[in-house]
Amino acid sequence: MDICMIHENASKCSVNSMECFMVLSTQAQKISIATLCGLFGTLCVFENSLVLYLIFSSPGTRRKPSYLFISSLALADILASINFVYSFLNFHVLKETNFSKESFLLQLGGVNTTFSASLSSLLLTALDRYISISRPSEYKLLMTRKRAWLALGVVWVTCATTASLPLLGWNCCTLNSTCSELFPFVDDNYLLSWICFIMVLLGCIVYAYAHVLRRAHQHVAYMEKHQAQLGKQNTRMRMDIMLAKTLVMVLTVLVLCWSPVLVLMIYSVFARLSTHLRKVFAFCSTLCLLNSMVNPIIYALRSKELYSSLRMVFSRFRRQPKASEESPEAESTHKSSMIET
């Protein structure tokens, strides 16, 4: 009997049995997954690094709590893409098995921490928009930089602690319990708990954005009715509405990219997965990278402050070549003037 068909915990907790989880069998599948990971991962790191540079290079954006949350999202996406591409290609493409259970769970914990932090940062951004629209007069008092940093610290510590539970002992080898069919050494109960944690985050984000959209619709109707009397307040409300719509686009992309992975995870807890479905899960996992890659594009297209900062960066790069072309003439002119003197 093939070792991959054995269901005893002893076989699934051995390092040799990890080959059963390496479902990419053909060279074409390995090349395809490597291409997707390399493309999405590289673009994700570049785009999110650019977002971080645009935010922290401008005093107007780096002081705002909303952009602190977006910075946390960009940082989490960078770390998630690096951890995911390295561990995923090392496992499925290179098929490395010369590492221990602890080292594998450490890599898996890093991936779960960063992806959970990305989703949690999006939740903080949604709550920031919720407070900004529902209680605009008290926003600056409620959402201070100190509270924003405190919320980010709590989020990152919570995500790291949750992702470290398998490494700390909540795994099927230590507990002699049912192992997951998608991840080596991972307990099915832990996987279900982690899925519930992600679903709670998604539910809170959906609720916050549903309220934001309802209030944004009310703002639009109010502005159309009292456009002449609003003045500066009209401009501020338009900015809130535009940012709310931007973040709804981010949420839509997030749900579309994460739904296939979560559905297959839930299905694996209650039923057996075929080899074909596990291959589908491997390819659907790359959609998480796609989500991290698309987020900065939405920011650049929808955020006026980041877009204007990006145009300033491009204008600086355009001036540098011109300055370098003019520098020899300027230097010769300077030398001739010195000789004349």
Side-chain angles (χ1 to χ4, degrees):
M1 182 181 293
D2 187 2
I3 191 174
C4 296
M5 300 302 294
I6 299 176
H7 307 304
E8 283 77 11
N9 291 325
S11 67
K12 286 196 174 184
C13 289
S14 64
V15 177
N16 293 331
S17 66
M18 295 182 66
E19 296 179 359
C20 304
F21 296 88
M22 302 174 183
V23 295
L24 302 181
S25 55
T26 64
Q27 194 68 18
Q29 293 174 353
K30 296 178 183 179
I31 294 176
S32 299
I33 208 81
T35 302
L36 290 175
C37 289
L39 178 62
F40 293 162
T42 303
L43 291 176
C44 178
V45 171
F46 172 76
E47 293 171 358
N48 284 284
S49 300
L50 181 61
V51 169
L52 288 177
Y53 172 77
L54 293 177
I55 291 176
F56 286 97
S57 62
S58 173
T61 55
R62 66 169 177 257
R63 295 174 182 172
K64 296 181 179 180
S66 58
Y67 284 102
L68 287 179
F69 299 145
I70 294 177
S71 301
S72 175
L73 178 62
L75 177 61
D77 286 336
I78 292 175
L79 298 177
S81 61
I82 295 174
N83 290 331
F84 179 84
V85 171
Y86 172 78
S87 59
F88 194 83
L89 294 183
N90 196 36
F91 186 81
H92 283 288
V93 178
L94 301 179
K95 294 193 173 182
E96 291 288 339
T97 58
N98 56 346
F99 44 78
S100 62
K101 176 191 71 175
E102 289 74 17
S103 62
F104 176 82
L105 291 178
L106 181 61
Q107 291 183 12
L108 183 62
V111 174
N112 289 343
T113 297
T114 49
F115 275 125
S116 300
S118 175
L119 185 59
S120 300
S121 299
L122 187 58
L123 173 60
L124 291 179
T125 310
L127 294 177
D128 176 74
R129 289 298 91 199
Y130 177 88
I131 297 174
S132 175
I133 289 184
S134 61
R135 306 174 71 175
S137 59
E138 305 175 14
Y139 174 76
K140 290 185 177 181
L141 296 177
L142 295 175
M143 190 58 65
T144 60
R145 283 177 55 85
K146 183 178 180 180
R147 291 181 179 179
W149 282 111
L150 179 61
L152 289 175
V154 171
V155 160
W156 279 87
V157 171
T158 303
C159 293
T161 303
T162 305
S164 301
L165 291 178
L167 183 62
L168 297 176
W170 193 355
N171 56 76
C172 58
C173 304
T174 304
L175 301 177
N176 196 25
S177 56
T178 305
C179 296
S180 171
E181 294 183 345
L182 294 174
F183 306 99
F185 314 122
V186 175
D187 180 72
D188 260 345
N189 292 327
Y190 169 79
L191 181 60
L192 184 60
S193 301
W194 187 81
I195 293 172
C196 292
F197 173 66
I198 297 299
M199 296 299 290
V200 168
L201 291 179
L202 284 174
C204 294
I205 294 174
V206 170
Y207 174 80
Y209 278 119
H211 182 82
V212 166
L213 283 179
R214 183 173 63 85
R215 293 300 297 267
H217 179 72
Q218 294 176 354
H219 280 322
V220 170
Y222 183 81
M223 284 188 295
E224 291 178 351
K225 186 176 181 180
H226 304 85
Q227 189 171 5
Q229 292 88 354
L230 287 177
K232 293 183 179 179
Q233 187 180 1
N234 187 13
T235 304
R236 181 178 179 181
M237 285 194 293
R238 273 203 301 265
M239 292 175 61
D240 287 340
I241 295 169
M242 187 172 184
L243 186 54
K245 291 180 179 179
T246 299
L247 299 177
V248 169
M249 292 172 60
V250 175
L251 175 62
T252 303
V253 173
L254 177 76
V255 172
L256 292 178
C257 291
W258 275 84
S259 294
V261 174
L262 292 177
V263 169
L264 288 174
M265 284 183 182
I266 296 174
Y267 183 78
S268 69
V269 174
F270 299 101
R272 287 197 54 79
L273 290 177
S274 62
T275 304
H276 175 70
L277 284 179
R278 288 195 289 166
K279 290 181 181 179
V280 171
F281 177 80
F283 278 92
C284 289
S285 300
T286 60
L287 293 176
C288 302
L289 281 178
L290 178 63
N291 168 67
S292 299
M293 185 193 72
V294 171
N295 283 344
I297 299 177
I298 299 177
Y299 301 148
L301 292 177
R302 301 287 297 178
S303 175
K304 288 184 177 180
E305 293 177 305
L306 293 184
Y307 183 73
S308 60
S309 299
L310 183 62
R311 292 185 61 182
M312 291 178 62
V313 171
F314 284 151
S315 64
R316 292 174 188 171
F317 280 111
R318 290 178 181 177
R319 292 172 186 173
Q320 288 180 356
K322 294 181 180 179
S324 62
E325 292 176 359
E326 296 174 356
S327 59
E329 298 178 0
E331 185 177 358
S332 61
T333 304
H334 177 70
K335 289 182 178 180
S336 62
S337 61
M338 290 291 292
I339 293 173
E340 291 176 359
T341 305

